[in-house]
Amino acid sequence: MVDFLKGATNLLASPEGTAVEGAGDTRGLTPLIAHSIKTVEGVATGNVLLAASGVVGVAEDLKKNPAAKTEYPATGGAAKTEGYAPILPTGTSALDPKMLDYEDALKVLEANFDQLDLADGKKSGSLSKDELRRAAHDTSLSPQLRSAARFLTENAALFERVDSSGLLARFMPVVGKLYNDDRLKLSGVRSELKRVGEEFSRYGRPERPRTPKPEPETCPPSTGTPGTRPPSTGGPSPGTPSPGTRPPTPGTGPTPGTGGGQGPVTGGGKPPTSKDPDFREYLEAVAVLRDNWGTFDTAAGTKDDRVTREDLAALLANPSTSSTLKKAAQYLKDHPEYFDRLEMAAGIDGRDGIIGWLDVKAELELSGGAKPGTSPTKVSSARSIVDNPNMSIEDKVQAILGAISTETDAEILQVMDSMASAGEDRAALGTSDADKKKAATLDGNMRELELRLQRLLEKRKSMFDLMSNMSAKFNEMAKTAISNLRGA
Amino acid sequence: MGRVIKHEATVAMRMESGAVQRMKSFARGEATWAEVEGMTFEEAKAIAQVGCDLAAAGRLEEARILFEGLVVGNPRDAGAHAALGTVYQKLGRLEEAIAEYSAALARDAGHPVALANRGELYLRKGERQGFTDLSNAVEVDPHGETAAGRRARALVKSITLAAVEKLKQDAQQP
């Protein structure tokens, strides 16, 4: 097998190849050769075992690694990739850039599916092309929702793609034909979104073309806070709107706000989606409505188990209404798109201007709304504290107690504000019979507020005591642990 | 390579002009056919792996076709040249094998597979250059990461052992 080695040996041992040991240095031979030479010298001095094992080892190595084994080593660095196409960087994709708009449209559609579904007053669980077409021109809807609907109606091929998309369609194309009924279902939209995401990860995310695009109809962000309505386009005055009237909605023109006013557009200007920054406030308002359903229901004078715009207006006009209730009522009044959403949440009777108890319940269930007494921010902040890996248990407990005491402080301040306003109202009353009646009501409210304030202060005190106790206990525990370590 | 290309007018124009540019640079000898085709190194590696498996299974003709294709696609790939050289060597086409090893070493002077196998072939032919190649192969692959590197190490060791023994015997003879 290794006959050629004899020749090679002769080559090395030939007159011009003498003094191999020196050659190890002078001819650039590897240290391995020098080492082998030394081994041979060891053999010459009588170490027979070493010599035998060395020879056997070499023979085994040669057997294990046959000549001309075909291999393609993966190492070699950048030089290896020379002459090959580079891997596509992010943003370079073979996919149509329109797929980005498609993805956006699907996301908007998914988030607002129920709202669109209820647009015709019935909840059918699917959207037809006609419904989408109507939504594309419905000025009461947000621009994003309208453009998403428009995108899908204008791109028939993509509409068909969502239309035939479903749970089993990807695995059995024949099933896709069954789904293809010219109606979009939420499951189809979700399945298609997933598919688009997979295509992006496979072929790369396309970049939007840099050609200047005409600005889509946009609404400037509202700077108003609930309770203070921003001026509306073309409105008579930038002050408070007349109660019970729907604010003017913007036209379909690309340049809103070119009328008399400079203020932002409200009404249809905000997308009622879970991605809307106002959505949290909306959920809070709905939660307040649920917790004070009776008060809202009877605000206009009659108990009919329904809340209308008149109820909201009456509640706002009532000076004895608490600021929390006023805030919620004002929010629903200022955001007609959310009022519409709420009144159609349960899918009963369509858009009739009446919020039923079932609507409130359905909306909170659908939106994962707040449980009584817990706002999303509270839950998230507590969770962020609990999930924080950099905090010790002691720190976490202290932080949670701190957060709770902060909330108690805020509540105390709120109660004190209410007491102050009630005191002012009481001072402004005269001596007539009606005023006396009002004064009695205010006195009753005041007593309630005082009791509430007392309870809050006690709660705050017990919170501080608890924090102090916890701190002392942890301190004691740490001391014990340290003394144990010292003793060990 | 089974790509899905979906595009519209402007994008299509941009992509088309990119392909034309690549063709032009191929014609000028600046780009390889692999670049024109858009073949990445990962894809080439996958093809080479199939070639290696075929060669290990004794299906040398098929392996030869694959590696010749890789070499044509990217003549700058030293690994593909060396792998083709091993296939030629097994097929008994020794001159072509040496040519491929030399081509590989022209692109990558420290390619262990090309060095080890060319060294062995040179030694078979009785050329001293073979030993230098083998010792270089050991140097570039000191930990024996490639089969060729491990073989080169064993060969160098055995040659050195035998050579020193012979020298010793010669010295003892009067």
Side-chain angles (χ1 to χ4, degrees):
Chain A
M1 185 181 75
V2 285
D3 292 341
F4 72 95
L5 288 179
K6 282 182 188 170
T9 306
N10 289 334
L11 274 174
L12 277 180
S14 61
E16 65 268 29
T18 50
V20 177
E21 196 163 5
D25 300 325
T26 56
R27 292 184 190 175
L29 294 182
T30 61
L32 176 78
I33 298 167
H35 180 71
S36 301
I37 292 164
K38 282 172 192 163
T39 312
V40 173
E41 280 170 356
V43 173
T45 55
N47 195 344
V48 182
L49 274 175
L50 184 64
S53 67
V55 172
V56 170
V58 167
E60 272 181 7
D61 279 351
L62 288 173
K63 218 178 195 177
K64 270 186 206 166
N65 301 294
K69 189 185 174 194
T70 307
E71 54 190 327
Y72 189 82
T75 54
K80 271 200 89 70
T81 59
E82 195 194 331
Y84 288 111
I87 294 167
L88 289 176
T90 317
T92 315
S93 169
L95 289 174
D96 186 346
K98 196 184 259 185
M99 294 297 282
L100 288 171
D101 295 331
Y102 180 47
E103 190 194 26
D104 291 345
L106 287 177
K107 278 182 182 167
V108 171
L109 207 61
E110 188 201 11
N112 299 278
F113 197 87
D114 283 342
Q115 194 191 354
L116 282 181
D117 189 13
L118 286 163
D120 58 352
K122 285 177 192 168
K123 189 165 186 173
S124 59
S126 61
L127 293 173
S128 68
K129 253 186 190 174
D130 287 337
E131 280 176 297
L132 280 179
R133 217 166 278 137
R134 272 201 300 274
H137 297 102
D138 188 349
T139 49
S140 70
L141 296 174
S142 71
Q144 287 91 336
L145 195 47
R146 267 182 282 157
S147 57
R150 197 179 303 128
F151 180 87
L152 283 171
T153 49
E154 283 171 1
N155 295 278
L158 293 173
F159 179 89
E160 287 303 318
R161 210 179 125 151
V162 202
D163 184 21
S164 55
S165 186
L167 288 173
L168 297 170
R170 292 173 66 189
F171 307 106
M172 288 183 278
V174 182
V175 180
K177 286 178 186 169
L178 296 175
Y179 288 116
N180 193 349
D181 54 357
D182 274 355
R183 295 188 75 85
L184 306 187
K185 290 173 195 67
L186 187 58
S187 61
V189 174
R190 283 184 181 147
S191 156
E192 188 57 20
L193 254 177
K194 201 176 164 193
R195 197 171 142 201
V196 171
E198 281 171 9
E199 282 184 8
F200 282 172
S201 59
R202 193 170 172 193
Y203 302 114
R205 201 177 178 83
E207 257 182 4
R208 284 186 198 279
R210 287 178 191 172
T211 48
K213 220 174 157 184
E215 280 293 310
E217 48 186 345
T218 52
C219 289
S222 167
T223 50
T225 53
T228 55
R229 187 191 154 94
S232 55
T233 310
S237 72
T240 51
S242 57
T245 54
R246 205 180 163 88
T249 50
T252 49
T255 53
T258 52
Q262 295 279 320
V265 180
T266 57
K270 284 186 177 181
T273 70
S274 57
K275 292 180 177 68
D276 190 334
D278 287 344
F279 192 74
R280 193 169 53 78
E281 282 180 57
Y282 164 65
L283 278 185
E284 282 171 6
V286 178
V288 169
L289 180 58
R290 179 197 54 196
D291 295 343
N292 301 277
W293 178 253
T295 316
F296 274 87
D297 182 16
T298 53
T302 51
K303 181 169 170 47
D304 49 5
D305 212 22
R306 53 178 63 178
V307 172
T308 58
R309 288 197 167 90
E310 285 72 37
D311 285 318
L312 297 181
L315 206 68
L316 287 168
N318 189 350
S320 62
T321 309
S322 79
S323 60
T324 313
L325 296 193
K326 272 189 178 172
K327 192 178 162 185
Q330 188 72 49
Y331 185 86
L332 287 172
K333 191 166 168 290
D334 287 346
H335 297 80
E337 70 276 15
Y338 277 127
F339 186 94
D340 292 347
R341 180 186 161 125
L342 183 57
E343 68 162 287
M344 294 190 295
I348 303 166
D349 294 339
R351 194 180 290 179
D352 53 2
I354 297 166
I355 299 171
W357 171 247
L358 287 176
D359 291 321
V360 176
K361 219 172 145 189
E363 180 62 14
L364 286 172
E365 274 172 13
L366 273 174
S367 318
K371 298 266 184 299
T374 51
S375 71
T377 42
K378 275 184 206 170
V379 174
S380 64
S381 69
R383 187 164 293 166
S384 69
I385 291 168
V386 172
D387 292 344
N388 191 345
N390 300 322
M391 289 170 87
S392 66
I393 293 174
E394 182 189 357
D395 292 343
K396 281 178 185 176
V397 171
Q398 293 281 353
I400 289 171
L401 287 174
I404 294 169
S405 66
T406 312
E407 283 163 20
T408 315
D409 286 351
E411 212 172 338
I412 287 170
L413 284 174
Q414 197 184 337
V415 170
M416 285 170 79
D417 282 347
S418 303
M419 284 174 79
S421 66
E424 280 168 14
D425 289 347
R426 177 79 176 79
L429 291 174
T431 52
S432 66
D433 286 348
D435 284 349
K436 276 178 186 171
K437 258 187 188 174
K438 273 188 182 175
T441 318
L442 281 173
D443 286 340
N445 286 345
M446 195 68 122
R447 272 194 297 279
E448 270 180 25
L449 286 169
E450 276 169 4
L451 274 172
R452 202 171 151 203
L453 183 65
Q454 199 177 337
R455 272 205 308 274
L456 283 169
L457 287 170
E458 278 169 8
K459 189 179 165 189
R460 191 167 179 267
K461 188 176 175 297
S462 60
M463 195 72 69
F464 272 111
D465 289 345
L466 182 63
M467 280 170 78
S468 169
N469 278 344
M470 293 280 293
S471 191
K473 290 279 175 201
F474 277 118
N475 192 25
E476 197 181 337
M477 194 174 69
K479 264 186 188 172
T480 313
I482 290 165
S483 66
N484 279 346
L485 280 173
R486 215 176 273 159
Chain B
M1 290 292 137
R3 287 173 196 289
V4 173
I5 299 178
K6 301 172 181 177
H7 46 73
E8 272 191 345
T10 53
V11 185
M13 285 293 287
R14 207 169 59 214
M15 292 179 82
E16 209 170 272
S17 67
V20 170
Q21 286 297 321
R22 286 199 295 275
M23 287 288 277
K24 278 182 183 171
S25 52
F26 174 73
R28 287 196 296 267
E30 292 164 2
T32 63
W33 188 247
E35 283 172 314
V36 175
E37 280 287 316
M39 184 198 278
T40 63
F41 173 64
E42 290 303 317
E43 288 166 338
K45 205 165 76 178
I47 294 168
Q49 188 54 51
V50 175
C52 292
D53 292 344
L54 286 171
R59 293 159 68 177
L60 297 174
E61 276 303 320
E62 291 161 87
R64 179 186 62 79
I65 292 165
L66 279 187
F67 285 117
E68 281 180 351
L70 277 181
V71 165
V72 170
N74 182 11
R76 299 176 200 165
D77 187 349
H81 278 291
L84 180 60
T86 60
V87 176
Y88 280 151
Q89 192 174 334
K90 280 183 197 155
L91 286 168
R93 295 158 66 171
L94 300 184
E95 286 306 318
E96 285 162 284
I98 288 177
E100 287 304 325
Y101 293 139
S102 301
L105 292 169
R107 271 99 193 163
D108 179 5
H111 199 284
V113 178
L115 280 171
N117 289 309
R118 191 178 76 168
E120 192 168 335
L121 284 183
Y122 275 150
L123 284 180
R124 282 176 194 276
K125 287 171 75 179
E127 290 180 27
R128 280 187 65 84
Q129 172 67 27
F131 194 77
T132 312
D133 278 352
L134 283 176
S135 59
N136 284 341
V138 174
E139 202 167 334
V140 295
D141 186 9
H143 306 297
E145 285 164 11
T146 61
R150 291 192 291 276
R151 184 171 173 84
R153 191 181 179 84
L155 285 175
V156 167
K157 204 171 176 181
S158 64
I159 291 166
T160 316
L161 281 168
V164 173
E165 186 64 23
K166 192 170 185 300
L167 279 172
K168 202 169 142 278
Q169 281 171 8
D170 289 349
Q172 281 172 355
Q173 280 173 4

